[in-house]
Amino acid sequence: MSRRKTERQLNLVICLLSTRRHLTAQEIRRTVYGYAEAESEQAFKRMFERDKRELRDSGIPIQVGTGDAISGEEGYRISRADYELPEIELLPDEAVVLGLAARAWRHASLGEAAANALFKLRSAGVPVDTEAAPALTPAMRTDEPAFGPVWQAVRDRRPIAFDYRKPGQDAPERREIEPWGIVNLRGHWYVVGHDRLRDARRVFRLGRIRGGVEVLRGGPDVVVPEGVDLRSVAAGHRAEPEATATVRVRPDTAHALRRGALRAVPGEREGADGGWDVLTVPYADVPDLVGHVASYGANAEIVEPAEARAAVVAHLSATADAGAPAPDPGPAASAEEGAGGPARGPRSADQLRRLLMLVPYALGRDVRVPEVARHFDLTEKQVVADLSLLWMCGLPGYTPGDLIDVDLDAARETGEIIIANADTLAQPLRLTADEAASLVVGLSLLEALPEAEGLETGALKRVSEKLRTAAGTALGSLADSVQVRLEDSGDAQVEQTRRRCAQALESGQRLHLRYLSGYLDQVTERDVDPMGLVVQDGHTFLEGYCRLREDVRLFRLDRVLELTVLPYAAEVPGGVGRRDLSGGLLQLSDRDALVTLDLEPSARWITEDYACESVAELAGGAVRATLRTPAPAWVVRLALRLGPRGRITAPQALAEQARAEARRTLDLYGPA
């Protein structure tokens, strides 16, 4: 059925593109191959209506006009002006930035849209360079299952409803909002809009949506208020520090706390305890301050304010006194269970889009089956099957002179794709809203990257305007409704580290780093041969060959304490390449420790910020989360940070380490 459906729809597209007048439904039934199989008038109408809807969903603009001047019956055609991709001319610098913009979505849900956009542009003869600037890898993640339906709702200007669990809540609440746009902030996606039930502007983190997102089809379209700055609304969601605390820390510990301190006074190094340094630490919320300091265990002590000092004692006492875990609730449910993204369309729709892109791409070019298979993530056998279907389609009449000519023997034997007699489909289809928006949003990400400062700003703006023109009304305001805000830009030390990394990459020099572990409160010395910069989750990473670990590693720049450019050349060993980031930056293995945590509702953010093997619901909105980590000691620090909001339930040896460290830390605060 699927193959016959694709064949029928492709014949319909060819017919409506080739006609100069609007054809009535009955004329289409008589002339387009495939509709004769409809057994009745009603069956034909259902089939034809479904085909029209699916073609429009694929971005094919079917016009409605008068098909019969006497009866006034409706007719249909496809205007070439609306169907065909307008001519686009790119300068060399514009081709570079466009290729980079597409790479930003390579491992995300819009990766297919961005790749298809480039395929169409190449079909039109646009020289897009996807391998330019290989040292820079911009990357967007869309792991949240709600991203797909929320993106579609923003695109279609439709309100949505969903269940949302705020931090600390026992149960999710129903929300109904008019979405204005989506913002990526600190590596997470948020939807900004008007909450109908509360009659107020609200920001919702997509990872906290429980279950599916319902798109509300009735009623008027969503109207975005004039002058709304989505990034500012989302950024205002975070509290700014309003007070300071005095914290004692042991020498060469609490490195992240030191970096955020307003002032650090070194202590005397003589004496039995080796001395303490005194930090002035800004904070906006006492519980956050308490958790942050508690995570360093006996290496940090809050001196004042008294409120925070008392709070940390209560916080750590909960960990020190933690008893046996609750009974196992049974098989764990996936954290994403029931939160499905948009369903994929039928295979015939995918196949039709492929064929409409393939024909103009292959005409007059040397195109091979393996190349097409790689682009569409198909087997070579599937590509040949697509070509055999194409061979059966053409203009009404369907004589040998009307059908598209495909050399199937060449495709099977040498892999060469030879297509002729396909002038009707010679021009590529116009960019869809998703395709154009994925590239425009990728360009806006590049504009915000200091790493891309070598790219001409004018090129970014010129390409963006050309894409908007090429997409026309299909794009609408979608591209402006999806924005990205970087996290570590504005930090002077990170900016300087970033520039020096870029210079070392350009000159091919080795780097020496003093690097703070992302798992442990530990600084190591590393010699690194730089290979590139990666931007993901709002942070910039140096990717390079680490001489200490003898492997490729990623170093987050805001954890680089010191950087020295060494006076000799970088030498990456032969056969060593850059990491495959399709599975994300964090690469875990079965050899990593498996740890189970029981989390109160206020600590459910663990399941949102960290990749969990499984998540099971407990009573009162609590959850039991199981995750893997190469550094079990990090989980001890996490348990100290959580205090009464979470505890380690397995392995028991790790839970006892957390309890023992909590007791040692409480000794700093004196008797209860």
Side-chain angles (χ1 to χ4, degrees), residues 375-451:
H375 177 82
F376 291 111
D377 194 23
L378 301 172
T379 65
E380 294 184 19
K381 183 178 180 180
Q382 287 173 312
V383 175
V384 174
D386 279 358
L387 292 172
S388 67
L389 185 151
L390 187 65
W391 182 60
M392 301 297 294
C393 299
L395 292 166
Y398 306 107
T399 66
D402 299 319
L403 296 174
I404 295 173
D405 187 8
V406 181
D407 191 334
L408 293 177
D409 290 336
R412 295 189 183 104
E413 295 170 8
T414 67
E416 188 176 6
I417 297 177
I418 303 173
I419 298 175
N421 201 32
D423 293 346
T424 305
L425 302 178
Q427 295 302 313
L429 178 61
R430 185 184 288 268
L431 299 179
T432 66
D434 287 352
E435 291 165 353
S438 67
L439 297 182
V440 173
V441 174
L443 290 168
S444 70
L445 170 63
L446 293 178
E447 285 187 277
L449 293 182
E451 293 82 8

Side-chain angles (χ1 to χ4, degrees), residues 71 174 190 259 360 380 416 569 574 646 659:
S71 66
R174 192 65 172 171
Y190 298 80
R259 293 201 72 182
E380 294 184 19
E416 188 176 6
R659 290 192 288 267

Side-chain angles (χ1 to χ4, degrees), residues 142-150 206-207 209 211-213 335-342:
T142 52
D143 296 341
E144 296 91 339
F147 180 87
V150 173
L206 299 191
I209 292 176
V213 175
E336 285 77 33
E337 188 173 46

Side-chain angles (χ1 to χ4, degrees), residues 148-339:
V150 173
W151 167 281
Q152 292 175 4
V154 170
R155 179 192 65 196
D156 299 337
R157 292 294 179 214
R158 302 308 307 156
I160 53 178
F162 50 81
D163 292 330
Y164 188 78
R165 190 197 298 269
K166 292 175 60 176
Q169 281 186 332
D170 291 345
E173 294 181 350
R174 192 65 172 171
R175 301 298 184 108
E176 185 176 313
I177 74 164
E178 298 171 1
W180 299 339
I182 321 173
V183 178
N184 186 285
L185 180 65
R186 300 186 294 277
H188 300 288
W189 286 99
Y190 298 80
V191 58
V192 179
H194 177 76
D195 188 326
R196 287 178 167 179
L197 304 182
R198 289 156 181 79
D199 192 25
R201 181 172 64 186
R202 289 290 187 267
V203 178
F204 300 95
R205 182 165 153 178
L206 299 191
R208 293 179 181 145
I209 292 176
R210 298 291 173 242
V213 175
E214 179 186 0
V215 179
L216 306 178
R217 297 297 177 186
D221 289 348
V222 171
V223 177
V224 181
E226 192 76 25
V228 169
D229 185 342
L230 298 174
R231 283 183 290 188
S232 296
V233 173
H237 204 47
R238 178 170 59 174
E240 296 296 331
E242 297 176 353
T244 59
T246 302
V247 181
R248 293 201 315 155
V249 297
R250 295 187 190 275
D252 199 32
T253 66
H255 296 283
L257 198 62
R258 291 172 184 272
R259 293 201 72 182
L262 300 176
R263 186 166 178 255
V265 179
E268 294 293 334
R269 293 297 183 254
E270 298 179 0
D273 63 358
W276 292 75
D277 299 333
V278 179
L279 309 181
T280 301
V281 179
Y283 69 95
D285 180 76
V286 169
D288 284 347
L289 170 69
V290 166
H292 192 186
V293 175
S295 70
Y296 296 105
N299 289 325
E301 174 193 358
I302 295 178
V303 178
E304 57 182 20
E307 174 194 10
R309 186 174 174 86
V312 80
V313 171
H315 179 94
L316 288 167
S317 296
T319 302
D321 299 337
D328 192 326
S334 168
E336 285 77 33
E337 188 173 46

Side-chain angles (χ1 to χ4, degrees), residues 445-468:
L445 170 63
L446 293 178
E447 285 187 277
L449 293 182
E451 293 82 8
E453 60 187 9
L455 302 174
E456 186 188 340
T457 304
L460 291 167
K461 295 185 181 300
R462 292 195 306 271
V463 173
S464 180
E465 289 302 317
K466 290 179 180 180
L467 284 173
R468 290 172 187 271

Side-chain angles (χ1 to χ4, degrees), residues 2 10 53 66 75 79 101 105 114 155 176 189 197 212 215 217 225 292 333 403 422 463 483 508 518 576 604 631 641:
S2 183
L10 183 56
R53 182 177 64 252
T66 302
S79 167
W105 295 100
R155 179 192 65 196
E176 185 176 313
W189 286 99
L197 304 182
V215 179
R217 297 297 177 186
H292 192 186
L403 296 174
V463 173
Q483 299 183 13
V576 174
R604 292 182 72 110
R641 177 182 177 183

Side-chain angles (χ1 to χ4, degrees), residues 298 301 309 313 316 660-671:
E301 174 193 358
R309 186 174 174 86
V313 171
L316 288 167
E661 184 63 21
R663 290 191 289 267
R664 280 193 296 270
T665 309
L666 285 170
D667 289 342
L668 297 174
Y669 293 86

